[in-house]
């Protein structure tokens, strides 16, 4: 009797242990009762009825990355390009992900591949190379809408690589090189043009300043000659007035002064080797007097008393 009771207790314990299920964090287990989906077991400890309930699917609820294998796509302008892509998705409803589609990963991969061909096939080669963000946005909208009944949220679709044919790549490289050379030549020409303009502006300013300098110098020279003429006129007027007042005495004085200056210039001349002139004071005075008499006769003023 005791052995039978012990065996019964052991069977009960084993039965209970068979009904204990621990769900890991990040996963949701679907529980099926007699083959029918009944509930989604969240992370933690759960007890089910052995032989009646069982775990149907272990659904990963974390965000996952699905690599889309490389494929060849023909663009709108009949260019063959190789494309690689990745899809980021997350299961939001474990029941739908487990029972609305037979193989979730294969379904998402095939759906992304076909839509990738459709989107890029409607674009030119240049558009496929330059509008990756637009391609990603279109794929995300289409694939997310298609996978919504499966309880899946497509978070991102990214084009990893686009490989154009070798001949097109070479042509694009030559085009890029030609474009860069063109820009370099344009920049060089603009630099030369700017330098020539600056040089011409500098020469223009130099000529303007030189002309203004010559104008100012000419004005100064004319002003100096005018002042010199005025001074000469005043001096002549003063001499004339002095001669008119004092007769030949003033005239003799001026003539003697000019004579003395001329003699001094002869003495200081570097080319003069020998100079002959009267050295006695009486002879010098006589010479001056004689010159004065000649001037007096020339002026017609015979004033003998003043001589």
């Amino acid at each position: 009797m005791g052995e039978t009771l012990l065996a019964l207790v052991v069977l009960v314990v084993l039965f209970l242990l068979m009904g204990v299920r621990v769900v890991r964090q990040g996963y949701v287990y679907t529980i099926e009762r007699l083959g029918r989906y009944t509930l989604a077991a969240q992370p933690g400890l759960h007890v089910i009825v052995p032989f009646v309930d069982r775990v149907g699917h272990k659904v990963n609820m974390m965000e996952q990355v699905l690599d889309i294998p490389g494929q060849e796509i023909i663009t709108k302008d009949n260019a063959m390009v190789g494309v690689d892509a990745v899809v980021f998705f997350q299961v939001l409803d474990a029941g739908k992900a487990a029972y609305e589609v037979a193989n979730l990963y294969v379904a998402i991969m095939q759906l992304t591949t076909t839509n990738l061909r459709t989107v890029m096939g409607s674009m030119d080669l240049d558009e496929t190379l330059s509008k990756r963000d637009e391609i990603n946005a279109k794929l995300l909208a289409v694939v997310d809408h298609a996978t919504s009944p499966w309880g899946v949220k497509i978070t991102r679709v990214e084009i990893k690589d686009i490989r154009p044919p070798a001949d097109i790549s070479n042509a694009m490289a030559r085009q890029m090189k030609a474009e860069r050379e063109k820009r370099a030549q344009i920049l060089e020409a603009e630099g030369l043009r700017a330098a020539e303009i600056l040089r011409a502006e500098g020469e223009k300013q130099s000529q303007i300043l030189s002309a203004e300098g010559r104008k100012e110098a000419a004005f100064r020279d004319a002003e100096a000659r005018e002042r010199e003429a005025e001074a000469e006129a005043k001096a002549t007027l003063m001499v004339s007035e002095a001669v008119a007042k004092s007769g030949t005495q003033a005239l003799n004085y001026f003539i003697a002064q000019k004579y003395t200056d001329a003699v001094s210039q002869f003495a200081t001349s570097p080319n003069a080797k020998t100079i002959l002139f009267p050295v006695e004071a009486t002879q010098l005075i006589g010479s001056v007097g004689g010159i004065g008499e000649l001037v007096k006769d020339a002026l017609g003023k015979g004033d003998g008393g003043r001589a």
Side-chain angles (χ1 to χ4, degrees):
M1 186 66 180
E3 295 180 356
T4 303
L5 181 60
L6 180 61
L8 183 61
V9 171
V10 171
L11 290 175
V12 171
V13 172
L14 292 175
F15 184 80
L16 293 175
L17 289 177
M18 290 176 61
V20 175
R21 292 290 184 270
V22 177
V23 181
R24 293 182 297 167
Q25 184 67 37
Y27 287 83
V28 171
Y29 293 176
T30 61
I31 305 300
E32 300 176 357
R33 176 165 294 177
L34 299 177
R36 182 182 178 182
Y37 169 68
T38 56
L39 62 89
Q42 301 296 323
L45 179 64
H46 295 270
V47 178
I48 62 176
V49 179
F51 307 110
V52 177
D53 297 335
R54 73 181 186 90
V55 175
H57 295 82
K58 298 179 181 181
V59 183
N60 189 344
M61 304 298 291
M62 296 178 288
E63 186 172 0
Q64 303 175 65
V65 181
L66 184 60
D67 190 10
I68 306 300
Q71 55 186 307
E72 300 294 330
I73 297 177
I74 300 177
T75 61
K76 184 179 180 180
D77 52 354
N78 297 323
M80 185 74 70
V81 295
V83 181
D84 295 332
V86 291
V87 178
F88 296 81
F89 69 95
Q90 185 175 13
V91 177
L92 302 180
D93 191 326
K96 291 182 179 181
Y99 300 104
E100 294 294 335
V101 60
N103 191 322
L104 180 63
Y105 298 100
V106 175
I108 294 176
M109 183 182 300
Q110 296 299 326
L111 185 62
T112 305
T113 300
T114 55
N115 283 279
L116 182 61
R117 290 179 180 273
T118 302
V119 172
M120 296 190 65
S122 63
M123 304 174 68
D124 295 334
L125 176 61
D126 292 339
E127 292 178 335
T128 60
L129 296 176
S130 61
K131 297 182 179 180
R132 292 196 180 190
D133 292 339
E134 183 177 342
I135 297 173
N136 295 336
K138 289 183 178 180
L139 284 174
L140 177 61
V142 173
V143 177
D144 183 55
H145 178 73
T147 57
S148 179
W150 302 340
V152 175
K153 174 64 177 177
I154 305 298
T155 56
R156 294 180 67 88
V157 178
E158 296 289 343
I159 302 297
K160 290 198 303 183
D161 187 24
I162 299 178
R163 301 179 299 277
D167 55 345
I168 295 179
S169 298
N170 295 332
M172 292 173 61
R174 292 194 300 270
Q175 180 182 0
M176 182 181 63
K177 181 180 179 181
E179 186 67 24
R180 292 182 180 275
E181 291 178 352
K182 175 184 175 182
R183 289 201 297 265
Q185 292 175 358
I186 291 174
L187 292 175
E188 184 178 0
E190 289 179 352
L192 293 175
R193 175 174 174 270
E196 291 296 333
I197 291 174
L198 292 176
R199 188 180 297 109
E201 287 291 338
E203 293 178 355
K204 176 183 176 182
Q205 292 295 329
S206 177
Q207 292 176 359
I208 291 174
L209 293 176
S210 179
E212 290 180 354
R214 291 195 300 271
K215 176 182 176 182
E216 183 69 19
F219 177 77
R220 297 292 184 183
D221 291 342
E223 186 178 12
R225 289 195 297 272
E226 181 180 356
R227 292 183 180 275
E228 185 179 357
E230 291 178 356
E232 187 69 22
K234 289 182 180 179
T236 303
L237 180 61
M238 293 176 63
V239 171
S240 300
E241 291 177 353
V243 171
K245 290 180 180 180
S246 61
T248 59
Q249 293 180 358
L251 186 62
N252 290 335
Y253 171 76
F254 288 116
I255 293 174
Q257 185 178 7
K258 295 294 184 181
Y259 180 80
T260 305
D261 292 338
V263 171
S264 63
Q265 291 179 0
F266 278 119
T268 58
S269 175
N271 296 325
K273 301 299 182 179
T274 304
I275 301 175
L276 299 176
F277 59 92
V279 295
E280 294 181 0
T282 56
Q283 294 178 352
L284 178 60
I285 295 173
S287 299
V288 172
I291 295 173
E293 291 297 331
L294 293 175
V295 174
K296 181 180 68 175
D297 293 340
L299 296 175
K301 295 181 181 181
D303 191 359
R306 293 181 181 181

